[in-house]
Amino acid sequence: MLVSPIIPAQTSPLLASPASLAHYDAGEHDLAAEFMARAVVVSERTVGLDNPLTIHNYLNLTLYEHARGNTLLALRLMRRAMDLWRLINSLDHPDLATAHNNIGVMLQSLRLHDDALRFFCSCLDICRHLLGDEHILVANAQHSLAKALAIERHLAADQAPQPCLD
């Protein structure tokens, strides 16, 4: 078990989520993930699987694990969060767009660009449907999609045969 220089080991489980944020902000991703994993367990046991707090904690844990370089684990945790999401929420929610954007970023880091593009497009579609074309989150989703398309175009250009300069 990791020992926190900021938060004492006997800290109440109810403080696990804020403690994880403090560690994440301090760049201590291992401790942040440990405290958020505790928060997930506590929220599952106290408020239940079908509570938004549990899902929120899972979503935060995915970000912390991705920051630690555990992207495959982060994607498994994201799947768990999305399965729980379907139990209590509709698929028309701005937070779902954020989750899709985050999945796209994780897939992009694994160089799964086609899959990442699907999630960036889904994020944009959800934002447009819920918020309208003029909303700032729509612009953010368009920016994420544009960056993904630029990366894909750059990778395609690198693989194209280069003209002979003789």
Side-chain angles (χ1 to χ4, degrees):
M1 180 172 102
L2 298 170
V3 178
S4 168
I6 299 173
I7 310 297
Q10 69 275 15
T11 298
S12 164
L14 297 176
L15 296 177
S17 183
S20 71
L21 181 58
H23 285 296
Y24 187 80
D25 288 344
E28 299 167 339
H29 297 161
D30 290 338
L31 285 168
E34 181 182 332
F35 275 95
M36 188 51 68
R38 289 182 193 178
V40 166
V41 171
V42 169
S43 62
E44 282 182 342
R45 291 179 182 173
T46 56
V47 296
L49 293 173
D50 59 346
N51 189 283
L53 176 64
T54 302
I55 297 167
H56 178 76
N57 288 340
Y58 265 108
L59 292 173
N60 284 336
L61 183 56
T62 65
L63 297 178
Y64 298 171
E65 289 296 345
H66 177 66
R68 293 174 69 193
N70 298 330
T71 303
L72 291 175
L73 173 59
L75 286 168
R76 284 195 301 272
L77 292 166
M78 183 64 83
R79 176 180 293 273
R80 173 81 168 151
M82 292 295 97
D83 289 344
L84 295 174
W85 183 280
R86 285 183 198 92
L87 291 174
I88 64 168
N89 289 317
S90 75
L91 297 179
D92 286 341
H93 195 283
D95 287 347
L96 185 62
T98 302
H100 281 214
N101 186 74
N102 292 344
I103 293 168
V105 169
M106 288 184 235
L107 291 170
Q108 209 171 34
S109 75
L110 295 172
R111 300 187 186 279
L112 300 171
H113 298 286
D114 290 339
D115 293 330
L117 280 174
R118 282 187 308 120
F119 280 95
F120 287 130
C121 287
S122 174
C123 173
L124 178 59
D125 290 343
I126 293 167
C127 286
R128 279 186 171 152
H129 170 72
L130 295 176
L131 306 169
D133 286 334
E134 301 299 318
H135 198 278
I136 188 70
L137 291 179
V138 172
N140 187 50
Q142 288 172 330
H143 182 69
S144 293
L145 179 58
K147 288 191 309 187
L149 289 169
I151 289 170
E152 185 179 53
R153 181 176 290 162
H154 177 74
L155 292 173
D158 284 348
Q159 294 173 359
Q162 298 298 315
C164 181
L165 298 177
D166 289 346

